[in-house]
Amino acid sequence: MPFPIHRPRRLRSNDVLRKMLRETSLSPDDFIYPMFVTYGKGVKKKISSMPGCSQFSVDLIVKEAQKVHKLGIPSIILFGIPEHKDERGSEAYSAKGIVQKAIRAIKDKVPGLIVITDVCMCEYMSHGHCGIVKKGRVLNDQTLDLLAKEALSHAKAGADIVAPSDMMDGRVAAIRDALDSGGFEDIPIISYAAKYASAFYGPFREAAESTPSFGDRRSYQMDPANRREAIKEVALDIEEGADIVMVKPALSYMDIITDVRDSFDVPVAAYNVSGEYSMVKAAAKLGWIDEMKVVMEILTSLKRAGADLILTYHAMDAAKELNG
Ligand code: PBG
């Protein structure tokens, strides 16, 4: 008969005890902060669906990156909004592309900040899909070439890590090969390994101006109903050379985070995506929740589920809170 011998409340009776026995801890070291870089000068364009987030031109993103670094956040992930989009996403792999410019500027002024780049075609394609489109279909193998060129050009510009998010089959191997041939064998790959076709990306598509002009991404991103398939996707990416694997989105996919953590011995990242962020912001604005408490609970829960790293738009606010 457990009660009254066992009383779990004994270990919850005061703050010091609770702190001693806490199983999961959160630190700014866990965070990767997503940032959007756009063309122009002196531009800070607020993203209406993601309060607190903006697109910055290169000059201003450097200043913002300095703030991120000062807060003790070790890393950012960069998304680019190019001036021109076309059918082959040329700006994605141009040395003069928007992301390439931003990498150089940030590494020049804030060398201690780890710059990760999102490797994908959707922001650069006139049709908004993540690969080359022919007759309404997104072509897999032909796209690999562009992704490899894009990752290599990011590495040449000084990126510390590349993160393919396109969900084409075989892209990790193609990128690894291109990096190694280019002399960048020490640049790690974080693959968006289990990336689901999710409605939670809605606000991001406004932020990155990457909404597909026709159809959706269900022929390449995963079906939200699938759990076993995530293990297959992650296993393939690790075999192809992924150093860190990501689960995305995070909150509705905590079972996947835990499965991946339990099945593989590589670091796991979770992407707390735009829709997850905007829901918290909207409820907080209405006065329905305590924003900072909810943010801390969400981020701690993602660590508890098994994430080593969290990509989150809350990173700056959460780091301020953690730094006290
Ligand atoms: C690019 C990409 C997307 C996100 C990250 N990289 C959008 C998409 O796949 O449609 C979503 C990030 C977010 O919602 O915060 N492929």
Side-chain angles (χ1 to χ4, degrees):
M1 195 178 70
F3 177 81
I5 305 295
H6 290 288
R7 290 175 183 269
R9 288 187 56 187
R10 281 184 202 123
L11 299 183
R12 294 180 205 138
S13 60
N14 67 61
D15 210 33
V16 182
L17 264 179
R18 287 192 292 269
K19 236 169 120 172
M20 281 169 67
L21 297 166
R22 195 157 289 149
E23 296 175 37
T24 310
S25 65
L26 196 62
S27 138
D29 285 334
D30 305 326
F31 303 151
I32 297 171
Y33 185 56
M35 299 183 81
F36 301 95
V37 61
T38 189
Y39 50 91
K41 231 182 160 185
V43 180
K44 177 178 176 181
K45 192 170 152 199
K46 289 195 171 129
I47 300 158
S48 63
S49 57
M50 298 173 70
C53 295
S54 302
Q55 297 177 351
F56 295 97
S57 53
V58 173
D59 51 334
L60 295 190
I61 208 166
V62 172
K63 297 212 167 81
E64 193 71 4
Q66 268 158 344
K67 287 187 204 158
V68 175
H69 187 56
K70 278 213 184 90
L71 286 169
I73 298 165
S75 178
I76 58 167
I77 181 164
L78 275 181
F79 295 92
I81 296 98
E83 192 162 13
H84 304 290
K85 300 180 189 239
D86 59 40
E87 298 271 294
R88 293 192 62 81
S90 329
E91 211 180 295
Y93 41 85
S94 154
K96 294 190 188 119
I98 188 69
V99 164
Q100 290 81 352
K101 282 185 191 157
I103 301 166
R104 284 191 291 267
I106 293 169
K107 289 308 292 185
D108 184 44
K109 290 280 176 341
V110 209
L113 186 69
I114 296 287
V115 174
I116 304 172
T117 56
D118 183 82
V119 175
C120 195
M121 299 309 297
C122 59
E123 295 115 79
Y124 305 92
M125 292 289 205
S126 39
H127 47 62
H129 275 289
C130 302
I132 295 175
V133 171
K134 273 219 177 95
K135 295 194 186 125
R137 276 187 59 82
V138 177
L139 303 182
N140 192 87
D141 298 15
Q142 289 85 334
T143 300
L144 297 183
D145 207 27
L146 302 187
L147 293 165
K149 271 166 54 175
E150 181 180 8
L152 182 60
S153 83
H154 291 170
K156 283 184 180 159
D160 296 291
I161 306 179
V162 295
S165 69
D166 51 282
M167 288 301 277
M168 297 300 121
D169 295 327
R171 91 278 206 206
V172 174
I175 289 171
R176 185 71 271 159
D177 191 47
L179 290 174
D180 291 358
S181 314
F184 294 102
E185 59 281 341
D186 287 333
I187 298 292
I189 299 175
I190 299 183
S191 75
Y192 288 69
K195 175 171 178 179
Y196 288 87
S198 171
F200 286 101
Y201 307 151
F204 173 94
R205 295 192 183 154
E206 178 201 327
E209 302 174 14
S210 65
T211 307
S213 59
F214 66 91
D216 53 44
R217 303 207 201 289
R218 285 181 298 172
S219 78
Y220 41 105
Q221 299 181 346
M222 287 178 60
D223 186 329
N226 293 359
R227 182 169 177 178
R228 286 191 309 260
E229 194 189 5
I231 298 297
K232 175 174 158 185
E233 280 283 4
V234 171
L236 288 170
D237 280 10
I238 293 173
E239 269 177 52
E240 289 179 29
D243 300 280
I244 300 173
V245 292
M246 194 198 298
V247 175
K248 179 184 173 194
L251 287 183
S252 296
Y253 297 83
M254 285 211 200
D255 52 336
I256 312 298
I257 296 172
T258 303
D259 284 355
V260 172
R261 167 72 297 142
D262 290 346
S263 309
F264 303 98
D265 286 323
V266 299
V268 178
Y271 201 141
N272 176 214
V273 301
S274 57
E276 298 169 348
Y277 171 85
S278 300
M279 289 194 303
V280 170
K281 285 287 184 185
K285 193 171 164 194
L286 288 166
W288 291 349
I289 56 168
D290 178 326
E291 177 175 343
M292 202 30 74
K293 283 194 176 140
V294 166
V295 167
M296 288 301 166
E297 188 172 329
I298 286 173
L299 299 175
T300 303
S301 306
L302 293 175
K303 289 270 321 264
R304 190 198 64 229
D308 301 289
L309 295 168
I310 305 169
L311 294 89
T312 179
Y313 305 96
H314 295 297
M316 290 178 79
D317 292 339
K320 279 178 205 154
E321 177 77 8
L322 290 166
N323 296 337

